[in-house]
Each structure stands twice: as C-alpha cells, then as structure tokens.
Amino acid sequence: MTSSVPRLVIAAPSSGSGKTTVATGLMAAFAARGLAVSPHKVGPDYIDPGYHALASGRVGRNLDAYLCGPELVAPLFLHGARGCDIAVVEGVMGMFDGAAGEGELASTAHVAKLLRAPVVLVVDASSQSRSVAALVHGFASWDPEVRVGGVILNKVASDRHEALLREALESAGVPVFGVLRRVAQVDTPSRHLGLVPVAERRGAAVEAVAAMAEQVRAGCDLDGLVSLARGAGALSCAAWDAAEVLASSPPPPLPVPSPGAAAPSTPPGGSAPRPPSALKGPRPQTPDGLVVAVAGGPAFTFSYAEHSELLAAAGAEVVPFDPLRDEQLPDGTAGLVIGGGFPEVYAAELSANEPLRKAVSALAETGAPVAAECAGLLYLCRELDGQPMCGVLDASARMEERLTLGYRDAVAVSDSSLAVAGTRMRGHEFHRTVVEPEAGDAAAWGVRVPRRRLEGFVQRGVHASYLHTHWASEPGVARRFVERCRTS
C-alpha cells in the first residue's frame, strides 16, 4: 500500500529561529485557501500542537521517533493526514538535534527522511547577510538523504537586507520561498516551560495565529510551497489505526492489587475521602463501554490524541472534564486519566475546587484505575506549593528553579493498571517541580538516565509518575487500563 500526501517539514538551524511562526502561519494560510491541512510536530512537545490545531481546525499530532520508534512515524503521520490535501510538520530544535547520545534519532532530519518529505529551512537572518549562503549550504549538504527544498528568511530588517540575502542564496542555488519581517504581534508569550498554551490565551491566541497567517501569506510563495510539498515521496505503509493495533495485541493480564497498598491520606484543609457511594452517579457499563474521564481545561492541556483514540477503541467512552470548573467527575466514571499541564499555575483554583478533589480521592479509594502523568501526579499529591490537592498520594510537590528535561528509558517495577512489572517503555520528562518522596513503596518506573532511580507511585489502581509516555508505542496499556475499569 502506498500513499503520497503532499507534505513539508519546517526545520531550522536552531531553536528560536521562527519554526512555530512559519509552521503555524503556513497551516492557517493553507486552510484559508480551502485546503484540508494536517498539522504535526516532531518530538514530544504538547504546546505547539495546540497552536497548530487552532490554525488548521484539526487535531495537532506528534511524530516522535524516540517515544514511538521510527517504524511508527509514517503510520502515525498517515493516520493524522487521512482525508487531507496537505500536511505541515514543524520540526524540533535544530534540524539535526535529536535524542542525546543517540545520533540522528528523533531529530527533525530523521523524521523528514522517514516521511520522505522535503524540508523548508527557516533561517533567522537578523545578524547576517552573505554568510547565510554558507549556513544554508552546510545544512543542505550535511546529510544527502535530507532534501532541503528551500528556505524562508525570518527577521529580515529591510529591503536592502533582503536583497543581500537573496543574492547570496541565489549563488548557492537554494530557492527562497519567503521573507518575513519582524512583526511584534506574532510573538507569543513564554514562561517556565515554553509557550503559554492556547487554552490559557483564548482570544489572544486566535489573534496571534491570525497574525502569523497574514505574515506568512504576505511574505511567502504559497503556490511554490504547495508545489514543493507535492514532490514528497510515496510512503509504502498503512495508516495507523487504534482498533487494528488493539486487535493485533494480546489481551493484557490484569494486575493484582497490592494487599498492603496504603490508603490515600486526607487532603490538607479537607475532609476524609467519601465512600464509593458518594461518587456522582452510578458506574454502569454504557452501551459504548465504560466511562473514562480525561482531565482537560487550562490546567491540564498536555495529551496525545492517540491516547483517547486507543481508550475508545478498547471500549471506553472518553469524557473530558475541567478540574478548574467541574465540581464532580462525569457521571458513571470508572477510570480517570490526568495528563500533563500547569497545575502549579492554577494551584489556588484547583485547591479551591474541594468537591472535585474529594471526588477524585473517593474514586481512587475504590481501586478504580487512575493514570496520572506529571501535572496529574502533582494534582494527586497532598499539596502543591502549600495548596491542598487531592491527597491520593502521601507526597508533597513544589516548584523549583531547576529544569528537568529529557528522554528516558524506563521499566515498570510494579504491576499496575497500566503495565505489568518488567514492561519497558520510553518516556519524556519536562518540569520545574519536585515531589517528595520521589517514589512510593511500590514505584511506577525504574530509570537509569540521568541517574539510576525509582520514580512514581503505584497504589491500588493508581499509577502516577512524572514520565510522559506515548501509548501508541504500547497499545496494550490502553486495553489493560479499560479492562481494569471493568473489573475494579
């Protein structure tokens, strides 16, 4: 089976060159022309795909050759690009920067080769003129398997500056597909973990994306870029499909609850967890499956779309809720997924929603499966920066200056609602917080880099950890979680 969706990979020599502005602007500009645009992001980043979704009107999806393996990059791409006229893939860091110590693995160049896609190099030209030709020549010739189809010059100061840059690149034989000047309104605010997510900016995010689209429309050769995208090579693989991968994976063994698992502690400033009868609504199996509640809203914006798709394919009815506003879990909740985000920014508001904190604690008390990653881990602690949280875990969390960042090879050290002990998965850490203690009596993962340690918590049905994982790499995780919902 072959497929040839027109596609471009937007790369750069380094971070901060303007990849997000160009990629997001292209998505919005193509969409404004009536094209169905498939948005993608190289690497584990959750924030850029939010802007991509706003620009294209479709779910932003990640392509991570480390988390999912190189063999899944093209199938996952084709899954996201179904029915689309063109795809735009935003790269990560510098074009050849990938997983530390792993060569090209998970770099933008690696993904471009896996997708057989032409690359458009975004160059920050603010402090150079003729030297741009040497820079672009180096990137275009470093790996002959990477096809650099042209450049877009960013932060160009004047008409004279543009003329010097174009003259240099013409002599180098590299097409210029666009020139962008400095425009303040396309700047997007950042904080301790990068750009502020779309869900927190609302109207301002819409205005920023519109400004990106206009700048790209005015400064880029859209017809030329579409033509370049149509030159991408055919992909000889099938699109990833959640139902198919679950059907081909063996049914997972159910975990055996630890007989000595600690009961959740009382949330500071709150009352003891309510008994199961206090949960809102019954917990019957619905016609489409069990209800799995998935946290969302401004405080919990980090998730991979494939997780919900896998849960649904496994028989769950996936129901989103907002821990900042909803005082109860969705009716019939049998399992809970709390992904990443910024609970540290909303600690006071999350703490003030005491009814939901109690409902989460009560659900965990029943042994129902709860999967919490990073922000979810913080939310399940006793407290976060002194603010009472759910108290499911006998641990406290706080902000710190040090950034913890990087890919991780992990092995499950305890049977849980997600995995049996010994399961190997790859993950990613990205936070400026610390949880004390670092691991519970039954830890979630053992990791070796950057130091050998046990990490996370497994108790009753709860699996809580800093590690972000991509379930497409291990679809049995979703099936196991849903089976646990049925039996808990």
Side-chain angles (χ1 to χ4, degrees), residues 421-434:
T423 300
R424 293 187 176 276
M425 289 191 74
R426 285 182 159 181
H428 186 261
E429 279 190 275
F430 186 39
H431 57 90
R432 289 187 188 269
T433 58
V434 62

Side-chain angles (χ1 to χ4, degrees), residues 77-291:
F77 167 80
L78 291 174
H79 169 61
R82 277 190 179 99
C84 286
D85 301 311
I86 192 168
V88 178
V89 182
E90 181 186 344
V92 62
M93 301 185 293
M95 186 165 78
F96 296 104
D97 301 327
E102 298 284 351
E104 72 171 3
L105 179 63
S107 67
T108 303
H110 186 207
V111 170
K113 290 195 287 186
L114 292 169
L115 295 180
R116 303 188 68 195
V119 172
V120 176
L121 195 68
V122 179
V123 177
D124 178 351
S126 58
S127 300
Q128 58 186 314
S129 58
R130 189 166 180 266
S131 295
V132 72
L135 174 69
V136 172
H137 172 75
F139 273 83
S141 60
W142 176 261
D143 184 344
E145 293 183 34
V146 178
R147 177 190 170 198
V148 176
V151 301
I152 292 176
L153 301 169
N154 192 27
K155 301 181 182 178
V156 175
S158 64
D159 291 344
R160 173 61 176 161
H161 187 200
E162 177 181 340
L164 291 171
L165 294 166
R166 284 185 178 274
E167 180 183 3
L169 288 166
E170 183 177 359
S171 66
V174 180
V176 176
F177 283 104
V179 175
L180 306 183
R181 303 293 172 87
R182 290 183 183 272
V183 180
Q185 59 261 40
V186 303
D187 291 337
T188 51
S190 300
R191 61 181 179 215
H192 60 286
L193 293 182
L195 297 180
V196 177
V198 164
E200 297 184 47
R201 299 186 66 211
R202 297 184 176 87
V206 172
E207 293 174 2
V209 169
M212 294 177 199
E214 176 55 27
Q215 189 183 20
V216 166
R217 185 201 62 76
C220 294
D221 176 6
L222 296 182
D223 290 332
L225 289 165
V226 169
S227 179
L228 180 64
R230 287 174 176 158
L235 298 174
S236 56
C237 63
W240 183 88
D241 181 270
E244 289 180 3
V245 297
L246 283 178
S248 63
S249 63
L254 291 176
V256 178
S258 304
S265 59
T266 301
S271 56
R274 291 179 290 175
S277 60
L279 293 175
K280 182 182 179 184
R283 286 173 50 190
Q285 186 170 353
T286 67
D288 296 322
L290 297 172
V291 172

Side-chain angles (χ1 to χ4, degrees), residues 451-467:
R451 60 185 175 85
R452 190 179 295 270
R453 72 192 195 279
L454 295 177
E455 188 271 341
F457 301 78
V458 172
Q459 61 181 53
R460 292 192 176 88
V462 174
H463 184 285
S465 164
Y466 266 124
L467 207 63

Side-chain angles (χ1 to χ4, degrees), residues 300-327:
F300 298 97
T301 56
F302 294 5
S303 67
Y304 296 127
E306 291 81 5
H307 289 199
S308 290
E309 291 167 352
L310 283 165
L311 288 169
E317 180 185 352
V318 178
V319 181
F321 73 102
D322 184 350
L324 290 177
R325 295 175 176 81
D326 296 325
E327 294 190 343

